[in-house]
């Protein structure tokens, strides 16, 4: 089971440190992706971190979001800086063991999300 946390209300330009903790299995064997879904919109791939700690970010997150992981704590940490109102969404983490970990379609183990609200 995956559980995202750390969301909240922040002003534009601010930062939030999210986290995604796993229970019942070890994250060590998985690539971990982050997604978000704004009201009325489809789920969007934000970025990912591989088992070997390589990272990938989509254009919407590049330069502002940073994903790290601590396998000993079984947790992944997206740091969101320079937040914009359009970043407002429920943020989810997901796991994959597919070699093509940079592709959103290969994530199929979803956790509960955390709401990030950015005010202008």
């Amino acid at each position: 089971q995956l559980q995202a946390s750390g969301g909240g209300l922040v002003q534009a330009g601010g930062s939030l440190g999210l986290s995604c903790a796993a229970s019942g299995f070890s994250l060590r064997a998985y690539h971990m992706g982050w997604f978000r879904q704004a009201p009325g919109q489809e789920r969007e791939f934000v970025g990912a971190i591989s088992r070997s700690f390589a990272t990938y970010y989509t254009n919407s997150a590049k330069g502002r979001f940073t994903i790290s992981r601590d396998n000993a704590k079984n947790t992944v940490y997206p740091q969101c800086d320079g937040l914009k109102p359009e970043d407002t969404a429920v943020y989810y983490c997901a796991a994959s063991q597919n070699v093509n970990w940079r592709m959103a379609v290969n994530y199929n183990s979803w956790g509960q999300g955390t709401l990030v609200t950015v005010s202008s």
Side-chain angles (χ1 to χ4, degrees), residues 90-103:
V90 177
Y91 284 70
Y92 300 88
C93 58
S96 172
Q97 293 186 306
N98 193 295
V99 64
N100 294 315
W101 59 274
R102 293 179 178 86
M103 297 180 64

Side-chain angles (χ1 to χ4, degrees), residues 16-119:
L16 276 177
L18 308 181
S19 64
C20 172
S23 58
F25 70 100
S26 173
L27 285 182
R28 190 180 304 273
Y30 293 84
H31 313 298
M32 297 300 298
W34 274 89
F35 298 76
R36 65 186 183 186
Q37 188 166 20
Q41 298 187 20
E42 295 187 355
R43 188 174 289 168
E44 176 190 11
F45 188 36
V46 175
I49 184 166
S50 74
R51 288 187 295 235
S52 59
F53 296 82
T55 54
Y56 167 78
Y57 303 98
T58 61
N59 287 338
S60 62
K62 200 173 296 183
R64 299 188 300 123
F65 292 5
T66 305
I67 301 174
S68 62
R69 65 191 296 162
D70 186 337
N71 288 337
K73 294 183 178 180
N74 224 25
T75 304
V76 178
Y77 302 99
Q79 175 68 32
C80 309
D81 299 321
L83 285 163
K84 306 174 183 179
E86 51 264 42
D87 294 320
T88 294
V90 177
Y91 284 70
Y92 300 88
C93 58
S96 172
Q97 293 186 306
N98 193 295
V99 64
N100 294 315
W101 59 274
R102 293 179 178 86
M103 297 180 64
V105 68
N106 292 323
Y107 288 86
N108 52 20
S109 298
W110 296 91
Q112 294 189 352
T114 186
L115 176 63
V116 172
T117 304
V118 185
S119 62

